Amino acid sequence: MDESSYWNHPTSHLLGSVPAVVNEESEASYGRRGGGGRGYQTLGPPTEGFDQQSQNNWKGVFSISSYTQYFDVDTDVVVNRLISSFYPAGGDFFNKIGANPDLYGLIWITTTLVFMLAAFGNCATYLIQKRTDRTTSWSFDVGYVNAAACGIYGYSLVVPVAFYFLLRYLGSNASLVRFLCMWGYSLSIFIPTAFLLLIPVEILRWIIILIAGTASSCFVTLNLTSYIGGSNDLRMMMIAAFLLQMALAIFIKAWFFP
Amino acid sequence: MSNSHSDTIPLHPSSQSDIDEIENLINASVQSGPATVLPARPPSPPRASIPVSSSPFIQSKIPPPPPQSSSSSNHKVPSVPAAPPPPPPVGNSSSIVATGFGPPSNTLTEPVWDTVKRDLSRIVSNLKLVVFPNPYREDPGKALRDWDLWGPFFFIVFLGLTLSWSASVKKSEVFAVAFALLAAGAIILTLNVLLLGGHIIFFQSLSLLGYCLFPLDIGALICLLKDNVIIKMIVVSVTLAWSSWAAYPFMSSAVNPRRKALALYPVFLMYVSVGFLIIAID
């Protein structure tokens, strides 16, 4: 009976008090110590649940099972989100994510983009040099891989985290995982762009990257606006997000496809 | 120093197994681990002049250090429960590994060549199971039950060295990128499957992804020798397809069928990027 009360209704002791995870944990731990040996043994399965709650601070970082909730997507869901990220118009990405944001998109889109930039950047550099100087031979610059990895991974991690902290500081609710998810999917439009930037005509390259950068920036800005609710003092945030995404696009063009 | 043991190997194998039996009984009775028989530890003269059975008396007073630290063989102790019982079906049992004993303690006193030969034959048999067509491929549980990490290590280092050799500039950076890409890639791919809710054993998956690099190793070697771009592209495409075909059944059976593509895409991405690296390095 003791364990059923702990397992099913841990908050029955907290009627009238402000519920918090902290209270629940301390209640459980007091109960466990009070129950003595018998309580400890019979609380076998419920202990796991409480363990996860009491360990949500730091030990959960090191076990894989605490991260599987962010990868709970199927193939068709991921493809759906990818396709919706190509259309900057609708600002409903956060509704589409719903209660199930995923980090799968972030990780593998950024990794694919790193590889594409390194590979196609080398090809495009070679093609442009070939046009101006017939005698250049192919050389593979491994530094492109390093630059791409630092640039793309750095951007996709730092910018959402910075926005999360800034928006929290300014009072609006923000969810880190959703921000990471959205920014990750916003980079997906650069993958076909990297392929198109192989065309060795300079004007065309600039047009392509400007279109892609604008699309991606609009995607980010519109979704951010619809999630937070546009109020005047948060307008600076939206403009900053737009400019940062454009800066990333320009950086991609200038560094990898000169 | 460790070879002094060879002085005491008798001509008849059965007497050696008797000596080992006595040795084990002594060790068990003195309540120290079976790893106290350390050929490298004692000064060699007593070991060379006196038969093997008396030297453990001297040694067993020393608290046994962990067996890996001073073992003369490069035998890796498997720490994952997925490892099979020690006399592997494919290993050449040397004369010392008697069938009645089983515990790996006897492998500490065997010659180095026996250990190396056993590990090499395990690599070859794993390779045959994973990379070449055989009737066991559809059942991943049976395929790599005897996994090891030496094979993947050799293949990754060989690929890095080949790429580094064929590069004309920044050789060390090329090796670093190739090695980091393959090693980190294998770990990340395994984590990806685990995060998607799949069921695999971590080191078994690392082992499998390493073995599937074998076709790309062959491709890199051929590209090192022949420098024509068209031939390189053909060779790399063929070996890429071969690697992907080798890794497919294992990866796809590890996850929920609705997430199969999510688990397979990163494998494909990694092999394509390695293939591109092979073509592009000149």
Side-chain angles (χ1 to χ4, degrees):
Chain A
M1 193 181 337
D2 268 351
E3 75 257 26
S4 67
S5 73
Y6 287 130
W7 180 235
N8 291 328
H9 296 289
T11 55
S12 61
H13 306 276
L14 303 174
L15 276 178
S17 62
V18 178
V21 179
V22 178
N23 278 346
E24 211 168 339
E25 291 165 14
S26 56
E27 185 67 31
S29 62
Y30 286 147
R32 239 186 281 157
R33 284 192 206 107
R38 175 193 63 86
Y40 198 76
Q41 278 165 8
T42 53
L43 275 178
T47 309
E48 283 178 20
F50 287 136
D51 267 354
Q52 280 181 2
Q53 283 171 358
S54 60
Q55 288 173 359
N56 64 355
N57 290 327
W58 59 278
K59 264 197 189 168
V61 176
F62 293 121
S63 86
I64 287 197
S65 52
S66 62
Y67 291 110
T68 49
Q69 52 175 318
Y70 301 127
F71 286 81
D72 197 13
V73 280
D74 293 335
T75 310
D76 47 353
V77 173
V78 171
V79 170
N80 195 6
R81 292 179 184 181
L82 254 172
I83 296 188
S84 77
S85 76
F86 276 83
Y87 299 118
D92 62 343
F93 190 75
F94 283 104
N95 294 338
K96 202 182 283 283
I97 300 181
N100 194 13
D102 72 303
L103 295 179
Y104 180 90
L106 171 78
I107 294 178
W108 292 111
I109 290 176
T110 49
T111 308
T112 311
L113 191 58
V114 165
F115 164 62
M116 295 273 169
L117 287 180
F120 293 144
N122 271 306
C123 295
T125 313
Y126 171 69
L127 284 173
I128 278 273
Q129 279 176 353
K130 196 84 170 168
R131 289 194 97 207
T132 54
D133 179 9
R134 285 266 150 198
T135 58
T136 49
S137 62
W138 164 263
S139 75
F140 182 74
D141 185 5
V142 183
Y144 276 43
V145 179
N146 290 337
C150 291
I152 300 295
Y153 284 133
Y155 180 87
S156 65
L157 283 177
V158 167
V159 169
V161 169
F163 269 87
Y164 169 72
F165 281 122
L166 269 174
L167 285 168
R168 279 286 201 176
Y169 178 72
L170 291 176
S172 68
N173 63 331
S175 153
L176 180 61
V177 181
R178 286 184 173 77
F179 277 8
L180 283 170
C181 179
M182 197 237 345
W183 253 279
Y185 278 102
S186 77
L187 293 177
S188 69
I189 201 171
F190 289 119
I191 296 177
T193 312
F195 183 66
L196 282 176
L197 283 175
L198 278 176
I199 305 173
V201 180
E202 192 70 16
I203 302 290
L204 207 52
R205 281 186 180 182
W206 277 109
I207 296 178
I208 292 174
I209 196 65
L210 283 174
I211 294 178
T214 315
S216 189
S217 309
C218 287
F219 175 78
V220 169
T221 314
L222 285 173
N223 280 315
L224 212 52
T225 314
S226 70
Y227 182 63
I228 298 178
S231 57
N232 267 336
D233 41 339
L234 293 179
R235 194 144 297 179
M236 283 303 297
M237 297 278 125
M238 311 305 157
I239 298 182
F242 188 91
L243 288 177
L244 277 171
Q245 200 83 356
M246 282 304 291
L248 179 72
I250 308 281
F251 165 72
I252 288 178
K253 165 70 179 67
W255 192 282
F256 298 102
F257 302 91
Chain B
M1 215 162 312
S2 57
N3 293 332
S4 62
H5 177 68
S6 59
D7 295 343
T8 58
I9 293 183
L11 295 172
H12 202 301
S14 64
S15 61
Q16 183 58 45
S17 62
D18 287 340
I19 293 176
D20 279 339
E21 190 176 359
I22 297 173
E23 226 177 298
N24 282 339
L25 286 174
I26 292 170
N27 292 338
S29 71
V30 184
Q31 206 251 331
S32 22
T36 50
V37 180
L38 298 168
R41 271 265 156 170
S44 41
R47 202 151 169 84
S49 58
I50 304 174
V52 179
S53 55
S54 67
S55 48
F57 274 126
I58 305 174
Q59 294 173 48
S60 57
K61 292 200 178 81
I62 309 170
Q68 290 95 329
S69 58
S70 53
S71 161
S72 60
S73 65
N74 56 356
H75 178 68
K76 178 180 75 71
V77 178
S79 57
V80 178
V90 297
N92 304 330
S93 24
S94 59
S95 59
I96 298 182
V97 181
T99 54
F101 294 111
S105 65
N106 290 333
T107 63
L108 282 175
T109 57
E110 67 183 6
V112 176
W113 174 242
D114 281 349
T115 311
V116 173
K117 210 163 44 166
R118 191 174 62 240
D119 283 335
L120 280 177
S121 62
R122 182 165 33 180
I123 292 178
V124 169
S125 80
N126 277 339
L127 203 57
K128 279 199 296 226
L129 279 176
V130 171
V131 177
F132 295 101
N134 69 68
Y136 297 115
R137 291 200 80 236
E138 297 311 315
D139 182 7
K142 201 180 302 188
L144 255 193
R145 207 181 296 152
D146 194 10
W147 59 267
D148 71 312
L149 289 177
W150 279 115
F153 175 70
F154 285 139
F155 295 144
I156 292 181
V157 169
F158 180 76
L159 192 56
L161 283 175
T162 313
L163 285 175
S164 168
W165 199 345
S166 37
S168 45
V169 292
K170 289 192 182 178
K171 285 177 183 274
S172 49
E173 201 171 324
V174 167
F175 178 83
V177 167
F179 189 89
L181 172 67
L182 290 168
I187 295 180
I188 293 177
L189 286 174
T190 311
L191 281 178
N192 183 44
V193 171
L194 286 173
L195 283 167
L196 283 173
H199 302 288
I200 48 170
I201 301 167
F202 184 74
F203 285 107
Q204 193 177 10
S205 168
L206 286 188
S207 174
L208 178 108
L209 286 169
Y211 275 111
C212 290
L213 279 178
F214 176 72
L216 282 167
D217 273 352
I218 300 180
L221 197 57
I222 297 178
C223 290
L224 175 68
L225 301 171
K226 288 264 184 204
D227 211 4
N228 189 354
V229 177
I230 307 288
I231 293 186
K232 274 191 185 181
M233 284 207 198
I234 297 177
V235 165
V236 167
S237 336
V238 168
T239 53
L240 185 73
W242 187 6
S243 280
S244 307
W245 171 82
Y248 177 82
F250 189 78
M251 281 292 171
S252 67
S253 64
V255 283
N256 193 340
R258 287 197 313 254
R259 303 182 179 186
K260 209 159 56 169
L262 294 184
L264 285 172
Y265 167 71
V267 180
F268 180 67
L269 179 67
M270 183 173 95
Y271 287 151
V272 163
S273 61
V274 172
F276 179 79
L277 216 52
I278 295 177
I279 296 181
I281 299 280
D282 63 335

